[in-house]
Amino acid sequence: MKLELELIGQQARQAARYLGLLSTEAKNEALLVIADALQDAHEPILAANAADLAAARAAGTSAALLDRMLLTPARLTAIAEDTRRLAALPDPVGARYEKQNLPNGLTLAKQRVPIGVIGVIYEARPNVTVDIAAICLKTGNATIMRGGSDIARSVAALSAVISGALERVGVPTAAVQSLTDPDRDLVRALLRLDRYVDMIIPRGGAGLHRFCLENATVPVITGGIGVVHLFVEASADLERAVPLIHNAKVQRPSVCNALDTLLVQRAIAPALLPQVAASLCADGVELRCDPASLAILTSHPDASSWSLVAAKPGDFGTEFIDLILSIKVVDDIDAALHHIHAYSSGHTEAILTEDAAMAQRFTNEVDAGAVFVNASTRFNDGGQFGLGAEVAVSTQKLHWRGPMGLEALTTFKWVGSGDYLRRA
């Protein structure tokens, strides 16, 4: 296994050298061929995915996780369209910026270059296979991917399509490689393949991130774990707040920017919370309430039709990835900020307010990759940010923060020039 992975690393490094010199036109052609191939091969891809889902259901996998695993004709078409849109985006590689003429006579600039070989370890979402392959190709990076065992058939089918497309356009198939062996020791070995791999991106739960951080000798970009809060301040427009909260929680509860904890200022809690409960519970959301919010909701005439549970300590600071929302009543913005500081994962935080001073204070004091004022947390996404695509959402502060689009998969080199210039 170690020798096989060593060979994979060597091949990826060689492919990265090739990709780094590939023209924008050639990279875009490869992306368009991949997109067409995905749609042409939809039947075997969907059949492989159906087998993964059947096995997952038999193992008792939750409905939310099954949704993350699911590929449909519509989703496969969307993946192909995303790949085509990526081809249409500007290529960051080779761009020079921050050019300056220095007093010593040197003309200096930064030039964007690929990072090299990107290792990606992910769980549950087979679409990530295409997302990673496409964004790495566009930025001239080779990639080594390892999908979760629960989506192994789907990953194998998608990887075969990508390899076939690369071969047709003359790009080394080693540019995109997937590890299909389920042995967890293979993940550990990939994390230590620092001779060939330049960066590791884990996409999964907290356990995967912790495993990577504890075992890697390759730099790791952590992110994607979203313990997401929304604070409704006393001046908020309650009528417009309810559908926004519904959107943040219900639109797609299995993703990292979905709402996990609702914080409501005490002065408006009796008016707002019953509206929130009626809206969310109608779509199957379970509300895990602190004592103050539980008292308000259980005293309402419609309480018997709502799914209300007394919150336990562990319900705060938890990424549910499901139709579950914890609720807490807070006295003021100080208490809200204190709660967020204690439980935030640094992914996405939001405030609803009509008070500009409160909005400014919230954005200044909350430490997160994305902070929203009067907007759904679901907007923390590379596509929604106009990046065209994302490889992950970083919650760390070194190199990149927030959605990682094309520029995030590049670094730079200094390029200096002179007229046979000598240092004095």
Side-chain angles (χ1 to χ4, degrees), residues 7 41 61 190 209 248 269 300 343 366:
L7 178 60
T61 302
L190 176 61
H209 285 254
H300 193 276
Y343 293 105
V366 166

Side-chain angles (χ1 to χ4, degrees), residues 223-271:
I225 301 172
V227 180
V228 176
H229 301 83
L230 188 151
F231 170 49
V232 187
E233 192 267 334
S235 68
D237 183 331
L238 303 191
E239 183 177 349
R240 293 197 291 167
V242 174
L244 189 153
I245 294 166
H246 184 278
N247 175 264
K249 178 70 255 183
V250 175
Q251 187 200 41
R252 196 164 181 197
S254 62
V255 293
C256 58
N257 56 22
L259 181 62
D260 294 297
T261 298
L262 180 67
L263 303 174
V264 179
Q265 191 158 350
R266 193 174 302 277
I268 57 170

